[in-house]
Amino acid sequence: MANCAIVGINWGDEGKGRMVDLLTEDYDVVVRFQGGGNAGHTVINELGKFALHLLPSGIFRKGVVNILGNGVALDPQNLWTEMQDVESKGVKLTPENLKISDRASLLLPWHRDLDELEEMRLADKKYGSTKQGIAPFYSDKYQKKTILAGELFYPEELKAHLKDLLEWKNLTLTKVYGAKPYTMEMLDEWIFSYCEKIKPFVCDTGAFLRKAQKDGKSILFEAQLGSLRDLDYGIHPYTTSSNTTAAYAPIGSGLPSAKLNSVVGVVKAYSTCVGEGPFVCEMFGEDADKLREAGFEYGAKTGRPRRVGPIDIVATRYGVEVQAATEIALTKLDVLSYMDKIPVCTQYILAGETTDEFPFPSALKKAEPQIEYFEGWKCDISKIRTWNDLPKAAKDYVIYIEKAIGCPIKYVSVGPERDSIIIR
Ligand code: GDP
């Protein structure tokens, strides 16, 4: 039996979905343990191209049980829409291959409204939220002002609980933001249209996972976003509202006793960042446009152009450390094939001094990148499947990163398809 977490090392969008899709072959269970429908995992396999938001990326594999753990922001509306979408493309979803934790809190309809209203209030100081209601959801979860998916099985208690929450939340909506209040009829409609649809998949996933552990099953824990978006360890306040680090996987999955045998950290061969906040290695102008186009760097959920830059060794090393990564999957190496010289942010300059340490968030704004250049390889590497066949310049680039971040690079991804991978 093996427990493995797959996590993002950077700002998200590293290609975690693609790696989970590849590695699920060796696992019995895949669990999403945090986050909601605010990001997208792109997966390309024999069934087509999918942008998954909430569904675990093991959903395409026969015999794999997929779990949405108690740590996720369970948005019934988004989930049901996504379930219908993947089913329409030939993926069969049943209570056998998809299980939703009865302890997952539900993202309520007003969370999306509150996200939007707060971003509007912040105007040019906005956080760059995807407006999926994630921050209001997690604040309410920690105030114990959401409902658990398992409450759907107790309709009378559910109604009374929702009524209390409605009264409380309408105060904020109307008095703080001057927005329209919600009514019980609106919530009834939401229960009927979405919650009832996902209810057959809700069960005691904690009990399922404990039995799976006893039976020696292999469990893969799938994260959303990356180290630098972690609520506690990221670029506060431009983080997400949950913990994206592997250490949270046991808690958010429903198997708090789980010990991780390995942590696969996914690192992109260059940097991208969606939304606001300090991004020290950011490139601008024509060079940035070229890289964005080459990597097709547009948000899977929002379509927003991603900010781009060279790989950031300082941030990546920090990301590896907070994740306690045991091995690395380096993705999108093929995207750099057009470059004559490949820029790398090797250190930061802060107050005139160079540093290898990732600074405290308030100091990050003042950090400047120290850029060095590596030889490009200038040829198509997307069909290469073995390490020895990679051009020397590409190998040198990978080996340099490996040494600089202090973690072995086991996988080198050279394309979005399942088999476009070099395993070292
Ligand atoms: P995730 O949220 O971490 O799963 O990442 P996203 O799905 O948002 O972004 C990764 C994007 O890169 C997707 O469009 C993938 O299909 C694509 N991708 C992943 N690995 C590779 C690769 O090695 N090369 C290329 N060219 N694209 C890749």
Side-chain angles (χ1 to χ4, degrees):
M1 108 142 221
N3 290 334
C4 170
I6 298 197
V7 294
I9 295 296
N10 306 119
W11 295 263
D13 306 316
E14 298 94 345
K16 292 175 293 298
R18 175 250 187 290
M19 287 310 299
V20 181
D21 180 60
L22 175 78
L23 298 180
T24 41
E25 195 169 21
D26 302 325
Y27 289 85
D28 304 302
V29 183
V30 178
V31 199
R32 269 282 308 267
F33 60 88
Q34 49 80 219
N38 52 331
H41 290 319
T42 313
V43 176
I44 302 175
N45 55 32
E46 72 278 3
L47 296 169
K49 180 173 179 176
F50 299 85
L52 299 179
H53 301 295
L54 262 167
L55 287 173
S57 311
I59 204 70
F60 306 107
R61 296 276 192 185
K62 286 215 167 62
V64 171
V65 179
N66 293 272
I67 295 182
L68 288 169
N70 50 282
V72 304
L74 188 72
D75 179 343
Q77 183 174 346
N78 259 351
L79 178 61
W80 178 238
T81 310
E82 191 176 329
M83 286 168 70
Q84 286 175 298
D85 181 52
V86 299
E87 286 218 291
S88 74
K89 292 176 184 158
V91 180
K92 189 122 187 65
L93 300 178
T94 66
E96 276 65 52
N97 74 348
L98 177 65
K99 297 182 189 292
I100 301 171
S101 168
D102 55 357
R103 286 182 171 270
S105 295
L106 296 189
L107 188 140
L108 297 158
W110 47 66
H111 289 136
R112 238 187 296 275
D113 298 351
L114 287 164
D115 212 348
E116 179 126 29
L117 288 163
E118 180 57 11
E119 285 284 276
M120 266 159 54
R121 190 192 70 79
L122 285 166
D124 60 346
K125 289 188 184 147
K126 67 182 191 299
Y127 291 166
S129 163
T130 55
K131 299 181 187 147
Q132 295 298 309
I134 304 300
F137 162 84
Y138 278 109
S139 350
D140 282 1
K141 171 174 171 172
Y142 286 94
Q143 283 198 76
K144 300 157 290 176
K145 301 277 195 190
T146 55
I147 56 173
L148 302 180
E151 288 182 62
L152 296 173
F153 294 106
Y154 303 86
E156 268 176 39
E157 287 88 339
L158 172 69
K159 278 274 166 72
H161 194 177
L162 272 174
K163 194 162 167 288
D164 287 347
L165 294 179
L166 175 85
E167 277 168 20
W168 171 74
K169 193 51 89 181
N170 276 344
L171 291 175
T172 312
L173 282 166
T174 59
K175 296 205 188 314
V176 175
Y177 292 108
K180 276 203 196 139
Y182 269 81
T183 62
M184 246 350 254
E185 288 69 41
M186 289 158 91
L187 294 182
D188 285 341
E189 170 59 26
W190 170 75
I191 292 175
F192 175 76
S193 300
Y194 307 113
C195 300
E196 287 297 329
K197 303 289 196 312
I198 63 162
K199 192 169 149 186
F201 299 86
V202 176
C203 62
D204 183 350
T205 54
F208 175 87
L209 282 166
R210 288 193 295 278
K211 177 157 188 325
Q213 181 166 254
K214 261 192 211 131
D215 293 347
K217 304 280 186 203
S218 303
I219 305 171
L220 192 62
F221 300 88
E222 179 182 12
Q224 180 219 37
L225 293 166
S227 314
L228 303 166
R229 301 290 189 194
D230 182 274
L231 178 61
D232 290 273
Y233 299 99
I235 51 170
H236 184 85
Y238 301 100
T239 61
T240 194
S241 302
S242 61
N243 290 105
T244 60
T245 34
Y248 186 71
I251 299 281
S253 66
L255 193 61
S257 58
K259 306 262 183 303
L260 298 177
N261 307 99
S262 57
V263 177
V264 178
V266 187
V267 173
K268 203 182 267 190
Y270 52 94
S271 301
T272 61
C273 169
V274 183
E276 314 296 320
F279 183 41
V280 177
C281 65
E282 184 162 12
M283 277 171 24
F284 299 94
E286 209 180 303
D287 287 348
D289 292 343
K290 267 197 198 155
L291 181 53
R292 186 176 301 110
E293 285 309 312
F296 196 69
E297 294 299 348
Y298 297 90
K301 180 76 193 177
T302 57
R304 287 188 288 187
R306 293 176 181 150
R307 298 157 75 191
V308 297
I311 191 164
D312 179 334
I313 296 297
V314 181
T316 304
R317 190 189 303 111
Y318 173 75
V320 166
E321 284 168 2
V322 296
Q323 295 285 15
T326 56
E327 54 204 56
I328 297 295
L330 185 72
T331 61
K332 300 193 102 165
L333 189 65
D334 55 303
V335 171
L336 301 181
S337 300
Y338 75 92
M339 289 185 175
D340 293 323
K341 296 227 169 277
I342 301 179
V344 171
C345 170
T346 52
Q347 286 186 304
Y348 287 176
I349 307 165
L350 253 183
E353 305 266 322
T354 54
T355 179
D356 292 316
E357 291 296 318
F358 192 67
F360 183 76
S362 316
L364 205 48
K365 286 190 223 55
K366 297 207 179 90
E368 284 173 38
Q370 170 88 38
I371 304 288
E372 288 178 31
Y373 290 88
F374 282 72
E375 244 354 273
W377 44 92
K378 295 286 283 178
C379 62
D380 180 11
I381 57 168
S382 63
K383 305 281 178 302
I384 293 178
R385 299 289 175 266
T386 56
W387 173 249
N388 284 340
D389 290 341
L390 271 180
K392 181 173 179 309
K395 281 198 239 173
D396 287 349
Y397 182 69
V398 175
I399 290 168
Y400 164 77
I401 295 170
E402 180 171 77
K403 277 212 184 106
I405 64 176
C407 192
I409 296 179
K410 180 165 175 197
Y411 306 92
V412 178
S413 173
V414 290
E417 305 80 15
R418 195 179 267 173
D419 70 336
S420 305
I421 197 89
I422 296 167
I423 303 178
R424 287 174 77 201

